[in-house]
């Protein structure tokens, strides 16, 4: 019970510290803005550790963060192999293919009113299919290895990106397009110089949504048949082996990768759409 | 005085009827004839006769009974001995109290056209395996055959197979895992005849492991009331099993009636019950220590990263004959 008390005391102390920091006159300083969430995260971990140890929770129900950290450090080889299989092969290739195809389709739709009427509903239909329904089908089409996982990711990211790009291409005003016409700009010149830049905030919106979808898709698809590696394989089979600490280590990797993936796309967005009001400082 | 005794007796009987002991049983898999004995005991009132109020919780692909019992969600679970021993080594001290299944239904079934006629032909082939704690016998077998499981010419390629037979039908795997009483029938139903198949039973290959035993937490066994409750539970359950063996069609109907998902069909359950009856036939519920020794020896002969079931001789009481000794008197 000592551990529980100590953890609760630590929780309250950090809470008070965070409140003080948020009210202090340095609250707008960069260091403080980073410190507050870091302290909060730390407090959660300490509370978790204290409760699990103090209440003697069985490690097959919920392992302590320290146990997970030890397992993480001891199984970096397995974690790396799973990362390569699921993230680099499954999620990333599916993301690139899915977003690329969605982008090209959006331009085709833009050129042809017929496609707008025909393709968007089909895209909508595919997006509405539950992953647990399409994953087994795609596994039987594309095999057990990462190809079927990439296919699931393609199906998942295609529609959000498509809708956002189609919407983004409608962003310019008639006045702006008329101006391009008075310059005698061709369709592609108008597209490259005016419409695509204007569409970028929407495009990146889709790309950011797709990052998390890609990771979820690749992991969950591995539940429906996989080679004996991959993050989804490890998570779905670890519980049966009571290797819960390894499952949590994989979850930690997934969380880190998901955050980093999102962060990278958000950084590219900042660079590309520097002109947009949402990115301007002050 | 006589009246008083009668009254006390009635009160006692009434009290006992009200205070039937609760037992929660966590199954290893969904409601199906694999667990017919328990459903029959429930339906036929065998549990009631023993003054028990039994709740049967079906399992599923994401439910590990070992985890459920560790979390206090069940008093007794159905699981395989390899998984039970693995849990024991990981700090969930499970004890086998009864073994209604004498033999095992786990098999590897292959298409003859792949050229496999004996285990020597596995090299270079792709094999479907169930994980989630069911992979221990497979890795023990491969270790016995000396086959690496990382693929390549001299090894075997391992696939994590979902709980269906599609990989065999679509020829994505040369062999797949089946249970005699379930998936094997599905392969036959899909139009593949028995002489197109080559089937290896794990028990016959000498790597069999006791399936579907009853396990409880060791600490509970120090409580005499709990022990006595388990004696009654095992006695009623075995009565249910023997009734199911003798009346397979009725047992199948009871199972289908108890399937809340409505996913099971009567025909399939009748097939399953007839096959399950072959596995329970040799058992009166008591575990044969020799079978336990064989499971442990097999697991210990195949300790590896892929097969982390147990790394040393199980410590303490991994099984007890006390419950069945008393129940079967």
């Amino acid at each position: 019970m000592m551990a529980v008390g100590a953890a609760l005391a630590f929780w309250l102390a950090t809470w008070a510290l965070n409140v003080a920091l948020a009210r202090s006159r340095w609250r707008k300083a960069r260091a403080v803005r980073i410190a507050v969430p870091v302290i909060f995260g730390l407090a959660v971990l300490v509370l978790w550790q204290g409760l699990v140890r103090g209440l003697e929770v069985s490690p097959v129900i919920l392992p302590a963060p320290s146990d997970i950290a030890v397992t993480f450090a001891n199984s970096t080889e397995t974690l790396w192999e799973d990362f390569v299989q699921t993230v680099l092969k499954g999620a990333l290739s599916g993301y690139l293919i899915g977003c690329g195809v969605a982008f090209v389709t959006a331009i085709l739709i833009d050129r042809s009113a017929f496609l707008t009427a025909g393709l968007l509903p089909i895209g909508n239909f595919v997006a509405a299919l539950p992953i647990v329904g399409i994953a087994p089908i795609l596994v039987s089409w594309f095999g057990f290895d990462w190809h079927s996982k990439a296919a699931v990711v393609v199906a998942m990211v295609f529609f959000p990106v498509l809708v956002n790009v189609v919407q983004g291409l409608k962003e310019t005003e008639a006045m702006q397009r008329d101006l391009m016409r008075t310059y005698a700009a061709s369709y592609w010149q108008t597209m490259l110089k005016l419409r695509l830049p204007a569409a970028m905030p929407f495009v990146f919106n889709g790309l950011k949504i797709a990052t998390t979808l890609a990771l979820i898709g690749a992991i969950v698809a591995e539940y429906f048949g996989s080679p004996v590696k991959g993050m989804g394989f490890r998570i779905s089979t670890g519980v049966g082996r009571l290797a819960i600490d390894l499952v949590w280590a994989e979850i930690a990797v997934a969380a880190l990768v998901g955050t980093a993936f999102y962060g990278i796309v958000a950084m590219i967005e900042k660079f590309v759409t520097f002109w947009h009001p949402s990115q301007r400082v002050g | 005085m006589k009246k008083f005794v009668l009254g006390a007796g009635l009160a006692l009987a009434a009290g006992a009827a009200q205070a039937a002991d609760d037992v929660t049983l966590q199954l290893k898999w969904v409601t199906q004839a694999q667990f017919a004995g328990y459903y029959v005991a429930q339906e036929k009132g065998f549990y009631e006769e023993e003054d028990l109020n039994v709740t049967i919780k079906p399992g599923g692909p994401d439910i590990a009974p070992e985890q459920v019992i560790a979390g206090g969600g069940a008093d007794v679970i159905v699981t395989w001995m390899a998984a039970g021993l693995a849990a024991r080594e990981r700090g969930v001290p499970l004890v086998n109290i009864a073994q209604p299944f004498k033999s095992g239904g786990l098999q590897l079934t292959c298409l003859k056209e792949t050229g496999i006629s004996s285990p020597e032909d596995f090299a270079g082939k792709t094999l479907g395996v169930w994980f989630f704690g069911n992979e221990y016998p497979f890795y023990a077998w491969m270790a016995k055959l000396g086959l690496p499981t990382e693929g390549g010419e001299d090894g075997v390629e391992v696939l994590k197979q979902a709980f269906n037979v599609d990989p065999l039908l679509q020829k994505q795997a040369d062999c797949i895992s089946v249970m005699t009483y379930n998936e094997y029938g599905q392969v036959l139903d899909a139009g593949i005849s028995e002489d197109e198949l080559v089937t290896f039973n794990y028990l016959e290959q000498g790597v069999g492991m006791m399936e579907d035993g009853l396990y409880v937490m060791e600490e509970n066994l120090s409580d005499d009331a709990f022990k006595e409750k388990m004696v009654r539970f095992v006695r009623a359950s075995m009565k249910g099993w023997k009734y199911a063996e003798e009346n397979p069609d009725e047992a199948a109907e009871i199972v289908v009636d108890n399937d809340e998902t409505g996913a099971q069909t009567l025909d399939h359950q009748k097939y399953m019950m007839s096959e399950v009856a072959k596995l329970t036939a040799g058992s009166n519920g008591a575990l044969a220590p020799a079978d336990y020794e064989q499971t442990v020896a097999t697991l210990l002969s195949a300790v590896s990263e892929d097969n982390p079931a147990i790394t040393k001789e199980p410590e303490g009481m991994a099984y007890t004959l006390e419950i069945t000794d008393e129940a079967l008197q």
Side-chain angles (χ1 to χ4, degrees):
Chain A
M1 278 333 239
M2 274 286 289
V4 177
L8 283 173
F10 185 83
W11 170 266
L12 289 173
T14 50
W15 189 279
L17 177 66
N18 262 350
V19 170
L21 277 174
R23 286 190 183 149
S24 72
R25 59 197 158 100
W26 304 288
R27 66 176 175 273
K28 289 211 171 130
R30 196 179 168 80
V32 170
R33 289 215 319 242
I34 294 174
V36 168
V38 168
I39 292 171
F40 180 78
L42 203 65
V44 170
L45 286 179
V46 170
L47 189 67
W48 176 355
Q49 177 89 23
L51 289 180
V52 166
R53 285 276 185 269
L55 302 176
E56 289 173 5
V57 177
S58 164
V60 303
I61 305 290
L62 183 64
S66 58
D67 296 342
I68 297 167
V70 169
T71 307
F72 194 108
N74 288 339
S75 19
T76 43
E77 211 170 300
T78 309
L79 294 173
W80 173 251
E81 185 187 51
D82 295 346
F83 171 81
V84 170
Q85 172 74 14
T86 305
V87 178
L88 299 187
K89 290 184 180 167
L92 205 57
S93 59
Y95 181 82
L96 294 176
I97 297 170
C99 295
V101 173
F103 196 84
V104 171
T105 313
I107 300 217
L108 288 177
I109 285 178
D110 179 65
R111 296 221 70 174
S112 146
F114 169 73
L115 286 179
T116 314
L119 266 183
L120 272 180
I122 293 178
N124 195 353
F125 180 71
V126 173
L129 290 175
I131 180 172
V132 291
I134 56 168
I137 297 171
L138 292 176
V139 166
S140 73
W141 287 358
F142 295 103
F144 279 70
D145 212 348
W146 61 270
H147 308 89
S148 56
K149 282 66 193 174
V152 170
V153 172
V154 169
M156 283 185 83
V157 303
F158 179 76
F159 191 65
V161 176
L162 177 72
V163 170
N164 274 286
V165 179
V166 167
Q167 185 61 38
L169 290 176
K170 290 183 188 149
E171 265 311 281
T172 49
E173 287 162 22
M175 191 79 92
Q176 295 168 318
R177 289 195 297 271
D178 286 347
L179 181 64
M180 291 304 279
R181 196 166 303 146
T182 62
Y183 293 159
S186 69
Y187 174 82
W188 286 111
Q189 281 171 328
T190 312
M191 184 59 108
L192 287 175
K193 303 276 183 200
L194 171 67
R195 299 182 59 206
L196 275 182
M200 278 306 144
F202 283 86
V203 173
F204 274 100
N205 202 19
L207 292 179
K208 282 193 290 189
I209 295 171
T211 56
T212 39
L213 285 179
L215 206 57
I216 295 170
I219 290 176
V220 173
E222 285 181 359
Y223 280 45
F224 300 91
S226 66
V228 287
K229 57 185 175 188
M231 297 164 77
F233 166 78
R234 213 69 68 183
I235 292 172
S236 66
T237 59
V239 179
R241 277 184 177 181
L242 297 184
I244 314 291
D245 41 359
L246 187 59
V247 170
W248 278 97
E250 293 280 356
I251 291 171
V253 172
L256 290 175
V257 170
T259 312
F261 196 3
Y262 186 93
I264 289 168
V265 174
M267 258 166 60
I268 299 173
E269 177 186 27
K270 213 167 186 173
F271 177 73
V272 172
T273 62
F274 61 92
W275 49 268
H276 194 264
S278 68
Q279 304 293 347
R280 288 200 298 250
V281 181
Chain B
M1 185 64 198
K2 202 174 173 186
K3 207 171 169 186
F4 173 69
V5 170
L6 190 72
L10 274 177
L12 208 69
Q18 275 166 4
D21 294 311
D22 291 321
V23 173
T24 306
L25 169 69
Q26 173 67 56
L27 303 179
K28 183 176 163 56
W29 195 243
V30 297
T31 301
Q32 56 178 11
Q34 182 186 358
F35 311 106
Y38 310 109
Y39 286 108
V40 167
Q42 178 89 297
E43 209 73 14
K44 287 278 154 194
F46 300 159
Y47 288 136
E48 222 170 294
E49 284 167 21
E50 297 282 357
D51 200 22
L52 291 173
N53 176 25
V54 177
T55 310
I56 304 177
K57 286 161 85 172
D62 305 315
I63 294 171
E66 303 83 19
Q67 202 185 18
V68 172
I69 198 170
D75 299 305
V76 51
I77 60 169
V78 175
T79 195
W80 291 7
M81 185 171 276
L85 292 175
R88 189 173 183 80
E89 199 174 294
R90 286 176 194 45
V92 184
L94 293 176
V95 183
N96 179 307
I97 57 165
Q99 187 61 44
F101 275 51
K102 177 66 187 166
S103 33
L106 181 63
Q107 301 185 324
L108 201 65
T109 196
C110 317
L111 286 173
K112 234 176 216 169
E113 63 183 49
T114 58
I116 295 172
S117 57
S118 79
E120 280 74 54
D121 304 323
F122 285 156
K125 296 287 195 276
T126 302
L127 313 179
V129 176
W130 289 323
F131 280 80
F132 210 74
N134 299 335
E135 69 275 31
Y136 303 125
F138 172 79
Y139 281 107
W141 191 15
M142 292 304 123
K144 191 180 168 203
L145 295 171
L147 285 170
T149 49
E150 277 86 48
E153 281 293 299
D154 315 320
V156 293
E157 184 84 31
V158 182
L159 293 184
K160 180 198 153 200
Q161 184 191 334
F163 292 94
N164 60 42
V165 300
D166 295 349
L168 189 78
L169 305 181
Q170 298 178 354
K171 317 231 161 110
Q172 290 170 327
D174 299 303
C175 305
I176 58 166
S177 302
V178 296
M179 300 305 292
T180 49
Y181 48 78
N182 196 358
E183 291 79 10
Y184 189 68
Q186 290 176 16
V187 175
L188 300 182
D189 285 347
I192 297 177
S193 70
E194 268 183 68
D195 36 288
E196 290 173 74
L197 296 168
V198 186
T199 302
F200 306 98
N201 186 293
Y202 278 76
L203 270 183
E204 285 162 20
Q205 300 298 325
V207 288
M209 313 217 165
M210 295 284 95
E211 294 166 11
D212 289 28
L214 291 171
Y215 294 78
V216 300
M217 295 290 274
E218 185 169 343
E219 68 215 31
N220 289 339
L221 285 174
S222 52
D223 173 12
D224 281 336
F226 180 84
K227 244 157 76 176
E228 196 261 339
K229 198 163 77 172
M230 282 303 119
V231 167
R232 286 183 278 144
F233 173 74
V234 168
R235 186 157 52 214
S237 298
M238 285 319 296
K239 208 167 151 191
W241 271 118
K242 293 307 145 187
Y243 188 92
E245 271 172 37
E246 282 157 26
N247 307 282
D249 287 355
E250 190 187 344
E253 269 167 45
I254 289 175
V255 168
V256 173
D257 288 343
N258 276 282
D259 175 29
E260 283 166 11
T261 64
Q264 306 292 0
T265 63
L266 190 56
D267 278 348
H268 187 59
Q269 291 309 307
K270 281 184 179 170
Y271 164 81
M272 192 182 289
M273 190 58 234
S274 67
E275 290 296 323
V276 166
K278 294 178 193 164
L279 305 179
T280 55
S283 173
N284 62 359
L287 173 73
D291 291 340
Y292 164 82
E293 301 294 344
Q294 199 226 331
T295 301
V296 172
T298 310
L299 284 174
L300 283 177
S301 70
V303 178
S304 71
E305 205 176 303
D306 294 320
N307 202 33
I310 53 171
T311 55
K312 51 186 189 289
E313 194 78 26
E315 285 163 12
M317 181 172 61
Y319 71 92
T320 175
L321 300 177
E322 236 180 299
I323 305 288
T324 42
D325 280 350
E326 201 161 322
L328 304 172
Q329 274 175 6

